């Protein structure tokens, strides 16, 4: 009976894709550069162009595209420092909702 | 392309960038607000160049207190900017409006036209407050949204380098997009991500082509 339903996309893949896309849009990365981002890739504090205003824009865009609300007290340097850190936060956030 | 002075509502003379050959269709371009104004300036002017080439006059005024304006920013409010846009439209006898992003907040309802990827002022303020909190936290001196809001409403505040007076802060914090009669052009019709997202200002000629084409079709 369920066979006609579309395959369920693993939500963690989905979030990673959105995060890569938003980073592409914010940093102006090519698809190749974005695909090279791994868990250890440094973000806030590592990329000079990613200042506080750009991070604020990044978070707002992630809220819109993932339909989540990022609370002020959840935003800190650790969560924003690496690609992996931000992805883990977003995955957590999505599973809570 | 011409730059000229227009007598702004603040009593100062402000600059406007214009493509003016006294043609039938004359578009007042209301710029994006705050940091987005810088990020979208190149794009906005490129769209104007394309409209000019297609036979449409257009004018891009400085908002009082921004760019070359000699008026102080901290006394401005959304209402003073809206009045300035209406005065510019009268001065240049524009026939239509093209509001870019937060520029849609300054539509006074007097002219037909379009708004491109409109964003509410409240949403822009939220981003500026978040950026301020983030920077304060990194500097080891954290501050809460409530503290910033209280300060902003009481005495005004400098956010993202912008000197916002208390009336402007109040107007932004409750600033929803007006109903108005401007038709909307959403970003997804431009075939790329919004350039206001970019950490460093950038330009995309293909998106400027797309927006100019949409504007020309809809003003026809």
């Amino acid at each position: 009976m369920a066979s006609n339903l579309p395959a369920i996309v693993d939500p963690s893949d989905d979030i990673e894709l959105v995060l890569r896309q938003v980073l592409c849009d914010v940093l102006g990365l090519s698809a190749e550069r974005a695909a090279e981002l791994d868990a250890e890739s440094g973000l806030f504090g590592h990329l000079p162009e990613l200042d506080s205003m750009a991070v604020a824009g990044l978070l707002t865009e992630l809220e819109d595209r993932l339909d989540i609300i990022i609370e002020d007290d959840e935003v800190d340097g650790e969560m924003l420092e690496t690609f992996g850190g931000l992805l883990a936060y977003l995955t957590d956030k999505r599973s809570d909702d | 392309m011409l730059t000229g002075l227009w007598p702004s509502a603040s009593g100062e003379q402000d600059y406007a960038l214009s493509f003016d050959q006294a043609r039938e269709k004359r578009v007042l371009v209301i710029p994006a607000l705050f940091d987005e104004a810088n990020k979208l300036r190149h794009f906005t002017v490129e769209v104007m160049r394309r409209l000019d080439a297609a036979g449409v006059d257009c004018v891009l005024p400085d908002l009082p207190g921004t760019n070359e304006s000699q008026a102080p920013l901290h006394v401005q409010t959304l209402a003073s900017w809206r009045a300035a846009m209406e005065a510019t439209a009268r001065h240049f006898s524009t026939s239509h409006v093209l509001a870019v992003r937060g520029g849609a907040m300054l539509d006074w309802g007097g002219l037909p036209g379009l708004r491109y990827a409109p964003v509410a002022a409240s949403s822009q303020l939220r981003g500026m407050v978040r950026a301020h909190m983030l920077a304060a936290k990194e500097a080891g001196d954290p501050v809460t949204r409530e503290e910033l809001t209280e300060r902003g409403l009481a005495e005004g505040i400098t956010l993202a380098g912008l000197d916002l007076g208390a009336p402007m802060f109040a107007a932004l914090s409750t600033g929803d997009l007006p109903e108005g009669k401007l038709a909307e052009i959403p970003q997804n019709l431009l075939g790329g991500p919004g350039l206001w997202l970019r950490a460093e200002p950038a330009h995309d000629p293909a998106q400027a082509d797309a927006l100019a084409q949409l504007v020309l079709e809809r003003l026809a």
Side-chain angles (χ1 to χ4, degrees):
Chain A
M1 182 145 165
S3 60
N4 288 336
L5 294 172
I8 295 168
V9 178
D10 181 346
S12 61
D13 285 354
D14 183 31
I15 294 170
E16 182 166 345
L17 203 67
V18 171
L19 178 57
R20 276 185 205 279
Q21 186 61 53
V22 173
L23 281 167
C24 254
D25 296 349
V26 169
L27 296 171
L29 301 179
S30 63
E32 294 77 37
R33 278 282 318 279
E36 285 168 9
L37 291 170
D38 63 25
E40 300 303 315
S41 298
L43 299 177
F44 189 48
H46 297 270
L47 302 170
E49 66 270 41
L50 204 57
D51 59 12
S52 57
M53 201 65 214
V55 168
L58 172 79
L59 295 179
T60 305
E61 193 65 15
L62 287 168
E63 287 181 330
D64 289 350
R65 292 201 207 174
L66 293 171
D67 195 24
I68 56 173
I69 297 286
I70 299 170
E71 304 295 342
D72 293 330
D73 57 10
E74 297 168 348
V75 179
D76 60 31
E78 196 183 336
M79 157 230 194
L80 291 166
E81 196 185 346
T82 60
F83 182 83
L86 188 49
L87 181 58
Y89 166 81
L90 294 171
T91 308
D92 247 26
K93 187 78 193 172
R94 254 294 189 75
S95 62
D96 287 350
D97 292 343
Chain B
M1 181 165 66
L2 305 163
T3 51
L5 293 169
W6 58 279
S8 98
S10 65
E12 307 276 348
Q13 295 262 303
D14 280 326
Y15 276 104
L17 188 155
S18 64
F19 296 86
D20 187 351
Q21 294 182 48
R23 289 169 289 193
E24 185 190 350
K25 290 204 180 83
R26 296 168 64 77
V27 177
L28 169 70
V29 180
I30 306 180
L33 308 184
F34 308 117
D35 71 308
E36 289 193 0
N38 302 328
K39 291 185 179 171
L40 293 175
R41 178 89 184 174
H42 187 174
F43 173 71
T44 302
V45 175
E46 287 294 329
V47 171
M48 292 172 68
R49 288 185 198 281
R50 286 156 173 76
L51 295 177
D52 172 55
V56 172
D57 282 348
C58 31
V59 51
L60 175 68
D62 281 353
L63 297 174
T66 72
N67 248 22
E68 313 296 330
S69 171
Q70 294 188 12
L73 177 59
H74 69 89
V75 302
Q76 306 301 326
T77 64
L78 289 180
S80 73
W81 280 352
R82 203 171 290 127
M85 291 306 94
E86 189 174 0
T88 320
R90 250 198 326 273
H91 180 76
F92 287 96
S93 303
T94 54
S95 59
H96 293 84
V97 163
L98 170 61
V100 179
R101 292 285 288 166
M105 295 298 304
L106 309 182
D107 172 33
W108 69 98
L111 288 176
L114 301 159
R115 56 188 201 184
Y116 158 60
V119 59
S122 52
S123 161
Q124 281 200 269
L125 179 66
R126 190 158 172 266
M128 287 193 279
V129 168
R130 178 177 263 168
H132 191 97
M133 291 169 62
L134 208 56
K137 202 170 196 172
E138 282 304 294
D141 187 18
V143 58
T144 65
R145 181 173 296 272
E146 290 68 31
E147 286 165 341
L148 291 175
T149 302
E150 197 176 319
R151 199 190 313 161
L153 290 173
E155 58 197 61
I157 190 169
T158 301
L159 287 181
L162 296 158
D163 196 5
L164 307 177
M168 176 67 102
F169 191 93
L172 295 178
S173 55
T174 56
D176 292 329
L177 279 169
E179 291 287 327
K181 53 189 171 188
L182 302 183
E184 190 162 327
I185 299 179
Q187 176 60 29
N188 61 19
L189 296 185
L190 270 62
L195 292 166
W196 63 85
L197 286 173
R198 295 288 291 268
E200 300 286 345
H203 177 51
D204 180 349
Q207 285 198 43
D209 289 345
L211 180 54
Q213 190 55 42
L214 288 164
V215 170
L216 290 167
E217 282 165 14
R218 295 183 189 199
L219 295 188

